[in-house]
């Protein structure tokens, strides 16, 4: 008998099109199960719930979930004592079969242990993402990613395997070699960060390769917010002449959100595998109405090695009112994840995200895609360092800087110091770009967006 997946756009039609009441009933049951498992097996969660005086049997409605304490990366870091994984571990260390860690750019790296069951779950989450973006068994998928401790696209690899697509793991190849493989092997799907996808496009242009004639039909981006920023997405689509899709996840959480092939204006939340809440950053009260921003708090229902229950991702988002035309009943985040709360600049009571700056940079025909944002302490103005396009006349530099400065001020009310550098002068990132440096932090910490399968403080 043929699989229904051959004739349906949904990886799991039952849950992806479930009525709200049925879906919430499933979420409530799975939340209680996750909480009970963590409370019984993880010393860190045992102590947390005992201190809060709450038990799984106290959670009888979706609203009751808000009685459960919210945790963050510091909760796991503080519990990481006594052994390699610490008190957050909920299984015997011998049951851990996969280890990854966050990059540690905003704090020390977080260790993430996963069991074999966890990894099957990761594959299932990613399979749902890939299927929604039209990846099928007949596709040849290139994962342009260096496999290492960063969890990155490991999950995408196993999600492709679950679907049955052919995988070409090309992380060790040079950009030129990747481009030749794309044409020679007939790659239909390309998976990487937006930064590296654009980097490949520049390499192709330098080699005289016409990407509009490539076999690539889908590009799936993660690890950075670029694919949800209109100008960046448009630049990728123009360079490659194909569909570009966004995905969001985190090392501690999993692959929890995705853009589908219908491109409904935001990101679907995989609500059968995760409980995603938007809460007020001051009161921690839940936000249900659309267009009101708050921080994302996420529960991964099936994480066993190190449970993830009401984890504060520190991401900034709001619910979307208009449903997607794809027919999924999963809720959507309007425009995706807007940015990280610790990256927000508050100006005259209004929050501004670095994504606004990226939109301005990539909308300018005078600027290349490489740039850096520096946030200085005290009264010194924020600084944007960007590259002009090749063959820009020196006398045009000041005019470009003034124009960009004006655009930023009009959009954000912030007066930036804008420095335009010659093309090729900024360091190039082969994978994930570090574009936001907050010098107000001790040591000048580099922050990365959380719009991909990355760790806390990173999207990858």
């Amino acid at each position: 008998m043929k699989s229904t997946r051959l004739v349906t756009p949904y990886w799991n039609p039952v849950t992806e099109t479930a009525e709200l009441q049925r879906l919430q009933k499933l979420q409530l049951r799975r939340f209680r199960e996750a909480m009970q498992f963590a409370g019984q097996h993880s010393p860190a969660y045992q102590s947390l719930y005992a201190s809060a005086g709450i038990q799984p049997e106290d959670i009888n409605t979706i609203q009751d979930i808000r009685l459960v304490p919210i945790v963050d990366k510091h909760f796991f870091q503080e519990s990481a004592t006594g052994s390699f994984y610490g008190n957050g571990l909920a299984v015997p260390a011998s049951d851990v079969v996969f280890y990854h860690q966050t990059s540690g750019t905003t704090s020390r790296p977080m260790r993430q242990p996963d069991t074999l069951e966890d990894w099957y779950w990761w594959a299932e989450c990613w399979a749902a993402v890939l299927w929604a973006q039209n990846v099928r068994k007949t596709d040849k998928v290139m994962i342009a990613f260096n496999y290492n401790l960063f969890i990155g696209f490991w999950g995408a690899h196993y999600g492709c395997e679950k679907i049955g697509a052919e995988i070409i793991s090309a992380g060790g190849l040079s950009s030129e070699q990747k481009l030749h493989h794309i044409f020679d092997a007939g790659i239909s799907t390309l998976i990487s960060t937006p930064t590296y996808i654009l980097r490949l496009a520049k390499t192709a242009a330098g080699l005289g390769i016409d990407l509009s004639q490539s076999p690539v039909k889908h590009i799936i981006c993660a690890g950075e917010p670029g694919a949800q920023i209109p100008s960046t997405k448009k630049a990728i689509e123009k360079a490659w002449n194909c569909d570009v899709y966004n995905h969001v996840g985190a090392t501690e959480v999993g692959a929890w959100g995705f853009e589908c092939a219908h491109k409904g204006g935001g990101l679907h939340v995989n609500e059968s595998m995760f409980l995603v809440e938007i809460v007020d950053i001051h009161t921690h009260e839940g936000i249900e109405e659309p267009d009101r921003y708050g921080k994302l708090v996420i529960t991964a229902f099936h994480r066993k090695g190190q449970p993830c229950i009401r984890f504060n991702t520190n991401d900034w988002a709001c619910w979307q009112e208009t449903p997607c035309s794809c027919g999924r009943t999963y809720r959507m985040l309007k425009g995706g994840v807007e940015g990280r709360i610790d990256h927000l600049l508050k100006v005259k009571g209004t929050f501004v995200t670095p994504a606004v700056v990226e939109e301005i940079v990539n909308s300018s025909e005078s600027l290349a895609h490489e740039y850096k944002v520096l946030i200085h302490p005290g009264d010194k103005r924020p600084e944007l360092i960007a590259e002009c396009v090749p063959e820009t006349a020196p006398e045009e530099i000041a005019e470009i800087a003034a124009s960009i400065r004006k655009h930023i001020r009009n959009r954000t009310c912030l007066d930036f110091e804008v420095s335009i550098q010659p093309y090729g002068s900024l360091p190039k990132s082969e994978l994930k770009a570090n574009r936001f440096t907050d010098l107000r932090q001790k040591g000048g910490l580099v922050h990365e967006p959380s719009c991909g399968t990355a760790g806390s403080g990173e999207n990858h």
Side-chain angles (χ1 to χ4, degrees), residues 63-330:
Q63 287 70 33
D64 289 342
I65 289 173
R66 292 169 186 161
L67 302 173
V68 178
I70 294 173
V71 303
D72 57 20
K73 61 183 178 182
H74 301 295
F75 169 76
F76 292 112
Q77 289 170 338
E78 291 167 2
S79 68
T81 58
S83 65
F84 186 72
Y85 293 117
N87 292 327
L89 190 67
V91 298
S94 59
D95 286 354
V96 176
V97 296
F98 289 98
Y99 165 71
H100 297 94
Q101 68 180 39
T102 61
S103 63
T105 51
T106 59
S107 60
R108 71 179 185 268
M110 288 183 58
R111 296 166 180 168
Q112 182 61 53
D114 281 317
T115 66
L116 189 59
E117 183 180 353
D118 289 333
W119 209 244
Y120 290 150
W121 166 80
W122 264 103
E124 180 70 14
C125 293
W126 258 102
V129 172
L130 295 164
W131 194 267
Q133 296 168 348
N134 280 334
V135 177
R136 299 293 185 264
K137 183 178 180 179
T138 53
D139 279 291
K140 290 187 176 184
V141 182
M142 175 180 282
I143 302 178
F145 166 73
N146 292 318
Y147 288 53
N148 53 36
L149 290 179
F150 167 55
I151 204 165
F153 299 104
W154 280 96
H157 180 113
Y158 289 96
C160 289
E161 185 179 272
K162 193 175 184 75
I163 289 173
E166 182 179 343
I167 305 164
I168 292 87
S169 51
L173 301 179
S174 69
S175 295
E176 183 174 348
Q177 288 173 323
K178 290 186 183 78
L179 288 166
H180 288 308
H181 271 74
I182 286 170
F183 282 86
D184 294 344
I187 300 298
S188 60
T189 302
L190 188 57
I191 303 179
S192 190
T193 61
T195 292
Y196 189 64
I197 294 296
L198 288 169
R199 178 80 170 141
L200 276 178
K202 288 181 181 178
T203 302
L207 294 170
I209 297 174
D210 183 3
L211 290 182
S212 68
Q213 302 302 311
S214 86
V216 175
K217 296 183 297 182
H218 324 110
I219 291 178
I220 298 168
C221 293
E224 299 170 349
Q228 72 178 29
I229 296 171
S231 60
T232 304
K233 189 171 189 175
K234 183 178 179 180
I236 297 172
E237 290 176 336
K238 181 179 179 181
W240 289 85
N241 191 31
C242 70
D243 288 318
V244 177
Y245 302 112
N246 192 24
H247 154 71
V248 62
T251 303
E252 308 93 329
V253 181
W256 60 267
F258 58 92
E259 181 181 23
C260 76
H262 286 244
K263 299 182 180 181
L267 291 174
H268 292 278
V269 173
N270 187 345
E271 296 201 273
S272 66
M273 310 290 275
F274 302 89
L275 177 68
V276 174
E277 306 170 68
I278 299 179
V279 303
D280 187 276
I281 61 173
H282 301 297
T283 67
H284 289 183
E285 292 181 359
I287 297 174
E288 299 297 336
E289 62 268 33
D291 299 321
R292 179 184 162 196
Y293 282 89
K295 65 182 178 182
L296 286 173
V297 174
I298 305 180
T299 299
F301 293 137
H302 302 94
R303 211 73 186 264
K304 300 297 184 185
Q306 183 168 273
C308 176
I309 300 174
R310 298 208 80 202
F311 178 75
N312 173 20
T313 67
N314 216 28
D315 286 330
W316 185 247
C318 72
W319 294 118
Q320 177 171 305
E321 183 175 15
T322 307
C324 182
S325 60
C326 70
R328 286 177 179 83
T329 52
Y330 288 167

